Amino acid sequence: MAVRAMTRIVLAAAIAACGAGHFALEAAQAAPTVYKSASKDFVSVPVAEQEWLVDQVIYAQNLGMGELEHDALRRLVLLNPASIWARLDLLRYALPAGLSDEAEQVRRSLCESPDSEGCRLAGDYMKLMRGDSAEQMQQLQLLETAGRYDQVIAQMERIFGKPPRESYWQLRYYRMWLHVPARVDEALAGLGRLMTDPRASGVVRKRAMLEERRVRLDIYTDFGID
């Protein structure tokens, strides 16, 4: 089969996977595969249902369906309440969406242990989204929209370090690198690490996987093989 045709098929399959909620939910209910982790941040959860909800988040983000994204993020927290990463994803939705009360409620839940990693990350994010830092984040978005990726990368390195320590910002950072030809290989390596990073949420890991595979398929088709 031609490489370009195969590319379209694979990408269509990835999109379909994110949107095929009804059938995936039936599968989750029918065959509750269980994931067990030794980490204290996780509890046993039905893998199929968790993956379906992650797909729903990404599907909603791609289409700008805020209500669906919000619902899926909340259900991920309910499904796996011990995961700080699921709650941080919900916090990162709630605060920019103007859901201040919910964001504060999530922050308090993460700060039941004030010295915990979840509390520190929640506090860092809320500081970034307020005051002078909020203006910097708005500027980042404007630069990205304008396609000024070198400037986005430089500003992210000033704010978060090189590379950012947290997986949530690493994903955005490596996505910017993908627009700089000389740094594509580094970006792919970074995305590959995120795909299996236990300190990343399911949404971050899945997005990293989709980005990495999309770019690799584009690289193959650049050879012009039909």
Side-chain angles (χ1 to χ4, degrees):
M1 181 179 292
V3 173
R4 292 184 189 278
M6 180 63 74
T7 300
R8 289 193 293 270
I9 291 170
V10 173
L11 289 177
I15 294 170
C18 290
H22 176 71
F23 298 107
L25 180 58
E26 288 186 344
Q29 294 170 336
T33 305
V34 173
Y35 169 78
K36 295 181 183 295
S37 170
S39 169
K40 65 181 180 181
D41 290 332
F42 292 89
V43 294
S44 298
V45 296
V47 165
E49 186 174 357
Q50 179 168 278
E51 290 180 350
W52 174 74
L53 287 169
V54 166
D55 286 344
Q56 290 297 290
V57 171
I58 295 173
Y59 178 72
Q61 289 173 344
N62 290 344
L63 296 180
M65 300 171 66
E67 188 174 339
L68 176 60
E69 180 184 355
H70 188 204
D71 179 66
L73 288 169
R74 293 181 71 180
R75 291 171 67 183
L76 278 167
V77 171
L78 292 172
L79 185 67
N80 199 356
S83 170
I84 66 171
W85 313 110
R87 281 181 282 168
L88 284 166
D89 276 347
L90 179 58
L91 173 67
R92 291 174 184 130
Y93 172 87
L95 194 60
L99 303 174
S100 301
D101 290 344
E102 182 171 0
E104 178 58 25
Q105 183 180 4
V106 175
R107 186 200 66 79
R108 286 199 302 269
S109 76
L110 286 162
C111 289
E112 290 178 357
S113 299
D115 296 329
S116 67
E117 181 178 24
C119 185
R120 176 181 61 80
L121 292 173
D124 289 348
Y125 180 76
M126 295 186 85
K127 288 177 185 176
L128 276 173
M129 301 304 291
R130 292 172 173 165
D132 293 340
S133 296
E135 293 182 8
Q136 288 184 310
M137 300 309 295
Q138 290 172 358
Q139 185 180 17
L140 272 180
Q141 187 60 53
L142 290 172
L143 289 170
E144 182 178 345
T145 302
R148 297 161 69 176
Y149 303 113
D150 285 331
Q151 293 181 46
V152 175
I153 291 168
Q155 188 156 329
M156 288 192 74
E157 289 175 349
R158 285 195 297 271
I159 297 171
F160 303 112
K162 181 182 179 179
R165 289 190 305 167
E166 190 188 348
S167 58
Y168 175 80
W169 298 114
Q170 285 177 24
L171 176 62
R172 185 170 181 178
Y173 182 66
Y174 292 132
R175 288 176 69 188
M176 295 303 101
W177 278 18
L178 292 173
H179 297 280
V180 182
R183 305 187 79 170
V184 169
D185 288 344
E186 294 173 85
L188 290 173
L191 291 170
R193 290 190 295 272
L194 280 177
M195 287 162 54
T196 57
D197 187 350
R199 298 179 69 256
S201 72
V203 174
V204 168
R205 291 196 300 268
K206 186 63 172 284
R207 273 212 169 277
M209 182 197 76
L210 292 173
E211 287 287 344
E212 194 263 358
R213 292 186 179 179
R214 176 186 64 79
V215 173
R216 289 197 183 278
L217 287 168
D218 286 346
I219 290 172
Y220 295 144
T221 58
D222 281 345
F223 287 103
I225 302 173
D226 291 321

